[in-house]
Amino acid sequence: MAVVTRLFVPIRNLTGLHPALRSLLLIAVGALVTFSFALYGSFMRATDVADWEVRRREQATVETQIDRAVQALTETMKIQLTWDDAFRATGRAGVPIDQGWADSYFGDFLWANLQIEQLYLVSPEGKMLRAWNRGLPAKGDEFSALAPKVRAALNIMNTNARVIGDPVRFRPLPDAQWPIAADGKPLTRWSGALDDVGGRTAIVTTASIIPDTDYAMLKRRPNALVAVRSLDPAYLRHVGEGLLLEDFGLQRQQPGSGNAIELHSPTGQSLGWLAWKPNDVGAIISDRTMPLLIAYLAFYILILGAGTVIVRQALRMARESAQREAEAKQDAMLDPMLGLPNRRLMMRHIDEQLARVSDGDAVFLAYIDLDHFKAINEAMGHPAGDAVLIAAVANLKAELMPGDVLARLASDEFVIVHRGPAGIEEAKKLGERVLAAFAERFDIHDTSVPVTASCGIAWAPEQADTHEKLLRLADIALFRAKQRGRGRYRYFTEDMNASIRWRKDLEAELRRALTCSSTCNMCTSNGDWGLEVHYQPIVHVAGRRVVSFEALVRWFHEDRGEISPGTFVPLAEHCGLMPALGEWVMRRVFEDCAQFRGREVSINLSPLQLATHDFMTRLHALVEETGVDPHAIVFEITEGVLLENSDRVLGVLSEIRDMGFRIALDDFGTGFSSLAYLRLFQFDSLKIDRTFVQGIEADLDGQAILKTIVSLGRTLRMKVVAEGVETLFQQQLVEAAGCELVQGHLHSRAVPLAKALALLPKPPETVLRLAVG
């Protein structure tokens, strides 16, 4: 009031001033003072309101993000749970589960890809059937505390309260009304929430296991998978970075400052507080606008201009806040390294395109996978691998047409969404543009690197009516492109569906054959359904002596005849039968080994065999059961085995060698980095790939390369075997190159055990000595 008095009194005492003008001046000053106080109070109130609004929006964004995290975890798990194989192996209530399958495709897969610490396979009533902790089978002792919550979740699921997809009807089952989509496909029931698990705040989701094509298998409520993903500091830090929030973390007590929301379990139990440093804008607004307010008080004539500046500043702050929010949403939809749309944004874009597609047009999806990308990463390092991805994206962008969208699905997997005239011709044009992006070698870190890609193409609505179906059909076409030799594209055709059905039938018969060969001697003797092990000799060219054998699996089918290993071995790898098939071959060879009178026998090891966590345990058990001498067995591996996880595999190979087995590097020279692996591991022998022998008669460069490989093997104190020798001239050239051990049709094809033993001299004449390469 003293300030106001000092302001008004001099004006009243002004003399020589017209009373009307003096009154007008007093009114103006009074209005100025009143307006200034009102403006100042409104300004301070506005900063508080701005801070409150920002904090309220942050809280709403965090709550939405947590809800999305629960649903996103379930939707990601759904890909692994909506699968005929998963349903057969683990989903049928009351039927024993396939523990090996579940360990690989649930425990190991979901830990490796989603970092789900605890997993439980449960019956429809909530009984635990199998448990995993960090990808490994576990006893599940902690499940007893979680069981009531799981049963409550299953009860909620049985009401169809939460379903992934839009049900149009419900199929009556003996114990449930199951939701069905418009295309007749059963939909996934689920339940999820935050809860307290052993003193930890975690996302707990429960989802049903259902078939994806053979819907008739769903005859009653299936088993379900319960996942527990902790809200650990690393996960929350990642969430906070995505929301542009600092110091984002979980606290047990309500924080005294900052911004926070309280988390609750489904029963209302407090799970703690998510707290973070708020992005308050009040102080920023105050710092930036206070000088303008002071200038307004000093210069009344500039009051309108100062007011305009204040408004502009406030509007700019609002725009910046909105822009930060939009950038946070955009970052959640983009791949962080390449800046491409991720899977979720790509799926949304496909849905938008499908909603607007007109007659004669189609939405094309090109599914692209870089060939042998793991080999490039392993040989040149991950920085070089990142450079390859960046270069590939740049080349693909150069081939895009207006309106095309390039997105990243996984490490080296990309998709292009294209709108164009429906039909095969447009698919061919799209495929040619994809291959053109990889026509030239990539210059990576001053090195010219050949990079190719395989591509599968499908289009909608002619072939599919949803983004899920469209992606699945493009994936099938991609698989066919890889089958045909990679570095090419294929568009989806109906015969590919027939091929998929053929593979499923053959898979079922392979399971039967493997079971029959393991349990029924009759099957292996008459070849009706069983598998057999044949043996191909390895010959010392100087003495024409059989010094060892390679064991090769053969399948004789009652209706289909002999099925090539090139057909059923990849099938076994794809459907998870390779560990069982490999163990059956090892058992049979171990049992036959004693009859070869001191000759070594080689067995091929698949990458999937070595990848199983209990491979060494099973190998020790087989040695104990059969009594085989490990020194009589050579395990052959290709460099593809090492590419999967070189450090772990090299450790396993060392354990195998410590048991007394020998190790050979097969198909040498065909891979990306064979020489690098010769430095990593001291192999006992080296097998030169048949491609170096075929056509060697007229290839002087090939002869020189062959001689170099033989010299390299001898320098490293390894036996060297040349594969694929089919003519006497080829053998003479191989021998001239210094290689003394050969294998091929010139001497013998792979033959049954009795015929293989007939190739050996009779015991009195046999000299048990191995040729030294």
Side-chain angles (χ1 to χ4, degrees):
M1 290 301 296
V3 173
V4 175
T5 301
R6 285 195 296 269
L7 184 60
F8 279 95
V9 168
I11 295 176
R12 281 184 186 152
N13 295 334
L14 285 176
T15 59
L17 191 63
H18 194 280
L21 183 60
R22 186 166 60 245
S23 298
L24 183 61
L25 182 59
L26 287 173
I27 294 172
V29 172
L32 171 64
V33 172
T34 303
F35 183 74
S36 297
F37 276 104
L39 181 63
Y40 181 79
S42 299
F43 171 77
M44 297 305 296
R45 173 63 178 167
T47 58
D48 293 337
V49 170
D51 287 343
W52 176 85
E53 180 64 18
V54 168
R55 295 192 179 200
R56 186 188 65 80
R57 291 187 179 183
E58 287 179 350
Q59 293 172 359
T61 301
V62 170
E63 290 175 348
T64 301
Q65 183 65 25
I66 294 300
D67 291 340
R68 287 177 179 173
V70 175
Q71 185 167 357
L73 181 63
T74 307
E75 290 178 346
T76 307
M77 287 171 52
K78 169 185 173 291
I79 298 174
Q80 199 72 357
L81 301 183
T82 306
W83 187 9
D84 287 353
D85 291 351
F87 188 84
R88 292 190 189 96
T90 63
R92 294 175 291 181
V95 177
I97 66 171
D98 185 341
Q99 295 184 356
W101 192 100
D103 291 347
S104 296
Y105 290 94
F106 284 173
D108 185 57
F109 182 90
L110 294 178
W111 165 247
N113 292 277
L114 301 179
Q115 287 75 54
I116 297 176
E117 297 100 331
Q118 296 170 234
L119 274 173
Y120 305 95
L121 181 63
V122 300
S123 70
E125 296 75 27
K127 178 182 178 183
M128 187 186 73
L129 305 176
R130 188 76 170 167
W132 299 269
N133 192 310
R134 294 182 176 271
L136 298 177
K139 295 181 179 180
D141 296 337
E142 68 283 359
F143 181 78
S144 58
L146 192 63
K149 300 174 181 179
V150 171
R151 287 193 292 269
L154 291 171
N155 290 334
I156 293 174
M157 289 168 56
N158 207 33
T159 66
N160 294 314
R162 285 188 173 181
V163 176
I164 299 178
D166 298 318
V168 298
R169 62 185 178 87
F170 295 86
R171 183 198 298 172
L173 300 179
D175 54 353
Q177 292 291 321
W178 201 269
I180 303 297
D183 58 357
K185 179 179 179 180
L187 298 177
T188 301
R189 291 173 163 183
W190 72 284
S191 177
L194 297 181
D195 214 328
D196 181 84
V197 179
R200 297 175 291 121
T201 300
I203 299 174
V204 181
T205 67
T206 305
S208 56
I209 302 170
I210 58 174
D212 63 336
T213 60
D214 191 357
Y215 309 152
M217 290 194 296
L218 184 63
K219 297 179 179 179
R220 57 187 307 112
R221 277 198 300 165
N223 295 334
L225 195 67
V226 180
V228 178
R229 174 66 166 92
S230 297
L231 296 185
D232 52 58
Y235 177 81
L236 293 176
R237 183 167 57 253
H238 175 73
V239 173
E241 290 172 354
L243 298 175
L244 302 179
L245 299 177
E246 296 181 15
D247 301 330
F248 191 87
L250 184 66
Q251 300 182 16
R252 289 301 175 184
Q253 302 295 328
Q254 182 175 3
S257 61
N259 202 358
I261 62 169
E262 186 176 14
L263 303 179
H264 294 90
S265 71
T267 60
Q269 175 189 356
S270 176
L271 302 175
W273 293 78
L274 277 179
W276 61 91
K277 181 180 178 181
N279 295 313
D280 289 340
V281 298
I284 300 175
I285 295 175
S286 178
D287 291 340
R288 295 186 180 186
T289 57
M290 187 62 74
L292 298 175
L293 187 60
I294 296 175
Y296 161 76
L297 295 174
F299 304 99
Y300 177 62
I301 195 151
L302 299 178
I303 188 170
L304 294 178
T308 301
V309 172
I310 293 174
V311 171
R312 287 179 177 177
Q313 289 285 349
L315 290 175
R316 187 167 71 85
M317 295 302 301
R319 285 196 301 268
E320 289 177 355
S321 178
Q323 183 178 357
R324 284 199 301 269
E325 184 177 353
E327 288 174 352
K329 292 181 179 179
Q330 184 72 4
D331 290 342
M333 292 293 186
L334 294 180
D335 176 76
M337 184 180 84
L338 301 175
L340 296 178
N342 59 17
R343 175 186 290 266
R344 180 180 298 179
L345 185 56
M346 183 269 296
M347 294 299 188
R348 179 184 299 174
H349 177 70
I350 294 175
D351 288 339
E352 293 173 352
Q353 293 296 314
L354 287 176
R356 296 198 300 265
V357 70
S358 58
D359 292 341
D361 280 355
V363 179
F364 291 82
L365 180 68
Y367 197 152
I368 305 162
D369 180 65
L370 301 190
D371 299 328
H372 306 299
F373 181 71
K374 287 185 178 180
I376 297 175
N377 255 343
E378 193 71 26
M380 301 181 64
H382 290 284
D386 292 344
V388 167
L389 293 177
I390 293 171
V393 168
N395 288 2
L396 286 170
K397 285 184 175 179
E399 299 294 333
L400 296 180
M401 297 182 67
D404 288 356
V405 173
L406 175 65
R408 186 185 189 189
L409 287 189
S411 171
D412 60 331
E413 297 179 1
F414 303 90
V415 296
I416 293 177
V417 182
H418 167 73
R419 179 88 168 267
I424 294 174
E425 291 304 319
E426 190 72 9
K428 290 180 178 179
K429 293 178 183 178
L430 178 58
E432 293 297 337
R433 287 195 283 118
V434 170
L435 296 188
F438 301 90
E440 302 293 334
R441 297 167 72 95
F442 288 14
D443 291 328
I444 304 299
H445 298 173
D446 299 325
T447 302
S448 180
V449 180
V451 180
T452 62
S454 301
C455 175
I457 301 173
W459 59 93
E462 180 181 338
Q463 296 181 333
D465 56 1
T466 66
H467 64 251
E468 291 178 338
K469 291 182 181 178
L470 189 60
L471 184 61
R472 182 174 65 85
L473 297 185
D475 188 25
I476 292 174
L478 173 63
F479 179 78
R480 180 60 60 86
K482 288 181 175 293
Q483 275 187 323
R484 296 296 172 85
R486 303 176 188 269
R488 62 193 66 206
Y489 73 87
R490 285 289 182 272
Y491 53 84
F492 177 81
T493 57
E494 283 303 320
D495 66 304
M496 292 183 184
N497 263 336
S499 175
I500 296 298
R501 289 192 295 270
W502 177 84
R503 290 211 330 267
K504 288 183 177 294
D505 292 341
L506 197 63
E507 176 187 337
E509 292 169 2
L510 179 58
R511 292 181 186 276
R512 177 177 176 181
L514 186 58
T515 303
C516 186
S517 299
S518 301
T519 59
C520 178
N521 292 329
M522 182 182 299
C523 294
T524 57
S525 62
N526 63 22
D528 285 348
W529 285 93
L531 299 162
E532 296 183 12
V533 174
H534 285 197
Y535 298 91
Q536 185 174 31
I538 298 173
V539 177
H540 192 287
V541 295
R544 303 298 188 266
R545 293 177 291 109
V546 176
V547 297
S548 59
F549 291 88
E550 180 179 357
L552 300 168
V553 64
R554 296 291 184 263
W555 184 14
F556 298 93
H557 191 283
E558 180 181 36
D559 300 320
R560 304 177 189 269
E562 182 177 357
I563 300 176
S564 167
T567 298
F568 71 82
V569 170
L571 178 65
E573 292 177 341
H574 178 73
C575 65
L577 289 175
M578 198 60 222
L581 178 60
E583 183 174 340
W584 179 86
V585 172
M586 286 195 298
R587 180 184 297 275
R588 180 53 54 88
V589 174
F590 286 4
E591 292 171 349
D592 293 346
C593 189
Q595 303 182 56
F596 286 103
R597 301 197 287 273
R599 269 72 174 182
E600 292 178 343
V601 181
S602 300
I603 304 173
N604 291 287
L605 282 183
S606 163
L608 296 179
Q609 285 180 264
L610 289 177
T612 55
H613 66 279
D614 61 344
F615 173 77
M616 290 305 302
T617 303
R618 299 299 306 153
L619 181 59
H620 280 285
L622 282 177
V623 172
E624 183 71 22
E625 292 174 21
T626 61
V628 69
D629 179 8
H631 294 87
I633 301 296
V634 179
F635 283 123
E636 295 185 7
I637 67 166
T638 63
E639 67 175 71
V641 174
L642 297 166
L643 283 176
E644 295 299 325
N645 187 340
S646 59
D647 292 336
R648 179 187 176 279
V649 171
L650 288 174
V652 174
L653 293 180
S654 297
E655 291 185 53
I656 293 174
R657 171 170 283 173
D658 292 341
M659 292 178 65
F661 294 100
R662 303 174 192 273
I663 310 294
L665 182 59
D666 195 12
D667 298 337
F668 179 79
T670 60
F672 193 86
S673 52
S674 297
L675 291 176
Y677 295 123
L678 293 182
R679 297 178 58 194
L680 290 175
F681 191 82
Q682 179 60 49
F683 293 94
D684 297 288
S685 54
L686 197 67
K687 300 194 75 173
I688 303 173
D689 187 73
R690 64 183 65 251
T691 56
F692 288 95
V693 177
Q694 294 171 350
I696 196 175
E697 297 91 335
D699 186 358
L700 297 179
D701 291 337
Q703 295 173 24
I705 293 173
L706 182 64
K707 186 174 182 180
T708 301
I709 294 175
V710 173
S711 176
L712 174 65
R714 287 187 167 185
T715 301
L716 296 176
R717 301 177 301 282
M718 292 186 290
K719 296 178 184 178
V720 181
V721 181
E723 297 181 303
V725 176
E726 298 181 355
T727 67
L728 182 59
F729 190 22
Q730 287 178 349
Q731 178 171 289
Q732 291 170 344
L733 291 174
V734 168
E735 187 175 9
C739 184
E740 298 178 342
L741 301 177
V742 298
Q743 179 181 354
H745 293 171
L746 174 63
H747 293 282
S748 175
R749 296 177 180 270
V751 295
L753 175 62
K755 291 184 179 181
L757 296 177
L759 298 175
L760 298 176
K762 294 186 179 181
E765 301 174 3
T766 302
V767 179
L768 298 178
R769 180 173 62 86
L770 293 180
V772 178

